Amino acid sequence: MVIIQIKNGLNFLSIRKEEIGCVDPELCQSFCGNENGCSNFAYPKLIIQTMPVGLRGLMVAVMIAALMSSLTSVFNSCSVIFTMDIWKHFRKQACDIELMIIGRVFVVTFVIISILWIPIIEMNQGSRLFDYTQSVTSFLAPPVCAVYVQAILFKRINEPGAFWGLITGLCVGLIRFIWQFSYKEPSCLNIHLDRRPFIISEVHFLHFGIILFVITCLTSWIVSLLTPPIPYKYIRRLTYFSIDDPLEPEQIPSNQILEEKENALNFDHLLDTNENDVKMHKRIFFWLCGIEKYMKSEKNGKAKNEKIDTSIEESSLWSKVCDINAVIAMGFCGFCYAFFNRFN
């Protein structure tokens, strides 16, 4: 996927080398209005200037749809993390309506923060959007990947090890993130005037991702070895090497904590309220937050709890179909890479 994305930009770079590959800030400012570079305009200009009218509109629609899909998935994931892991941690008696309202308010807040963050993106990484996304991923994703891989492969990793591994990796990644974006990257013509620290100017963000991965693994192992392991009866069939265990894992007993109920917001009275008795501004607020449909479903008795299927069994037919599709996709990508390298 990365090869296909980069290849389109390289193809257009060969056509408009002076415009897309400009290094002089004055020329870049005259070409695209950005003195840091015009690489972000390669793919849109490739579509607009080389494709016919009908296909051009289709590709623009595909780009907008992909952008909307990515943004909605990110906003939804952040909203779920905030409401279920942070808000509900401090308000354990929060009901579903309260969580729904908090989740939607958080999405609006997160959208505003994202818009305000755009100037910071333009100031750093030479205003190259692809480099920015890859650098942020290298600063934040390796701890999650390290803990996930270790949890699947090794049964000795326990909860304290995973927690402190994530915290250590997140702190180290945020330090590099804030440290790097506190400096402005010089242009190619002024690279000899770079006065940034060695860890920023010489250690590439992809190499730093490897270092961060190793730091997280070491922290997880050290903390796990210093703390009691999880009994095997609780982690049967949860690791790669115990997936064939015939016994089901037992549920870890959780300590019941007495929770304060006087601070909890109670929305149960809304379910007993007649819709015609609700004032117009409250009705609009309920409609925006999705509470109106929730109240109707509760009144009609349509809200049902579905049993979660935790089986790991997989149909052999679909397993083979996925394997064949993966082989075809890898072969196609390899062919495209070899073909374009041969005739470029």
Side-chain angles (χ1 to χ4, degrees):
M1 181 60 69
V2 176
I3 295 176
I4 295 177
Q5 292 176 348
I6 297 177
K7 200 66 179 180
N8 294 324
L10 293 177
N11 290 335
F12 192 69
L13 177 62
S14 61
I15 301 175
R16 300 293 177 89
K17 184 177 181 180
E18 296 78 8
E19 182 177 349
I20 301 300
C22 61
V23 294
D24 190 349
E26 296 182 357
L27 292 178
C28 294
Q29 183 69 29
S30 62
F31 286 144
C32 60
N34 187 1
E35 62 180 10
N36 294 320
C38 299
S39 58
N40 292 335
F41 298 88
Y43 190 64
K45 287 192 174 184
L46 174 65
I47 295 175
I48 295 175
Q49 298 181 7
T50 60
M51 289 187 173
V53 177
L55 191 58
R56 186 188 309 169
L58 178 62
M59 290 302 300
V60 172
V62 169
M63 291 174 57
I64 296 176
L67 178 63
M68 292 177 61
S69 176
S70 300
L71 291 177
T72 52
S73 61
V74 169
F75 293 149
N76 182 65
S77 300
C78 294
S79 174
V80 171
I81 292 174
F82 178 80
T83 54
M84 303 306 295
D85 295 339
I86 299 178
W87 185 265
K88 202 169 183 179
H89 178 74
F90 294 100
R91 296 187 56 81
K92 298 181 175 61
Q93 292 290 340
C95 62
D96 294 340
I97 298 179
E98 180 182 351
L99 296 177
M100 186 186 304
I101 296 175
I102 295 301
R104 299 198 176 192
V105 171
F106 179 79
V107 168
V108 175
T109 306
F110 196 71
V111 170
I112 296 175
I113 295 175
S114 302
I115 296 174
L116 297 177
W117 193 260
I118 293 177
I120 299 179
I121 300 178
E122 295 179 349
M123 291 171 54
N124 293 277
Q125 294 294 334
S127 188
R128 297 183 297 271
L129 183 60
F130 184 81
D131 289 352
Y132 172 81
T133 56
Q134 295 302 313
S135 63
V136 173
T137 303
S138 299
F139 300 154
L140 303 179
V144 180
C145 179
V147 171
Y148 185 79
V149 171
Q150 291 181 102
I152 292 178
L153 296 179
F154 308 109
K155 59 184 179 181
R156 186 60 181 85
I157 300 295
N158 54 15
E159 183 179 357
F163 175 78
W164 288 109
L166 282 174
I167 293 298
T168 304
L170 178 62
C171 292
V172 175
L174 286 178
I175 291 174
R176 169 64 190 263
F177 176 81
I178 297 173
W179 199 4
Q180 174 166 327
F181 286 96
S182 62
Y183 295 93
K184 185 175 181 180
E185 182 180 0
S187 61
C188 296
L189 295 178
N190 299 324
I191 195 64
H192 60 283
L193 301 176
D194 192 359
R195 295 295 183 267
R196 295 177 299 171
F198 175 83
I199 190 65
I200 297 178
S201 60
E202 299 298 332
V203 180
H204 197 267
F205 58 82
L206 294 178
H207 298 158
F208 182 80
I210 300 175
I211 298 174
L212 188 57
F213 185 91
V214 175
I215 293 175
T216 305
C217 292
L218 292 177
T219 305
S220 300
W221 270 107
I222 292 173
V223 177
S224 297
L225 293 176
L226 295 176
T227 53
I230 303 176
Y232 180 71
K233 60 182 180 180
Y234 297 134
I235 57 175
R236 294 192 185 104
R237 302 177 64 182
L238 298 181
T239 61
Y240 179 79
F241 297 103
S242 64
I243 194 172
D244 295 328
D245 196 311
L247 299 178
E248 293 284 344
E250 298 182 12
Q251 185 175 1
I252 299 178
S254 58
N255 297 325
Q256 298 295 331
I257 303 175
L258 296 178
E259 301 166 352
E260 298 180 359
K261 296 184 178 181
E262 57 270 13
N263 294 328
L265 296 178
N266 187 8
F267 290 90
D268 294 338
H269 64 282
L270 294 177
L271 301 178
D272 300 329
T273 304
N274 189 2
E275 185 177 355
N276 297 327
D277 297 336
V278 181
K279 295 182 179 181
M280 181 58 66
H281 66 278
K282 289 186 177 181
R283 197 178 302 176
I284 295 175
F285 175 76
F286 294 159
W287 178 77
L288 291 175
C289 294
I291 301 177
E292 185 179 8
K293 295 181 180 180
Y294 176 82
M295 293 167 57
K296 291 181 179 179
S297 63
E298 287 289 332
K299 288 182 179 180
N300 298 331
K302 295 181 179 179
K304 299 179 181 179
N305 295 326
E306 297 181 358
K307 182 180 179 181
I308 301 176
D309 186 12
T310 57
S311 174
I312 61 173
E313 296 181 0
E314 184 181 13
S315 173
S316 59
L317 173 62
W318 291 111
S319 177
K320 294 178 181 179
V321 170
C322 291
D323 293 340
I324 294 174
N325 287 336
V327 173
I328 294 175
M330 290 187 295
F332 177 75
C333 292
F335 169 78
C336 292
Y337 179 76
F339 178 82
F340 287 109
N341 276 332
R342 173 66 179 82
F343 294 99
N344 224 5

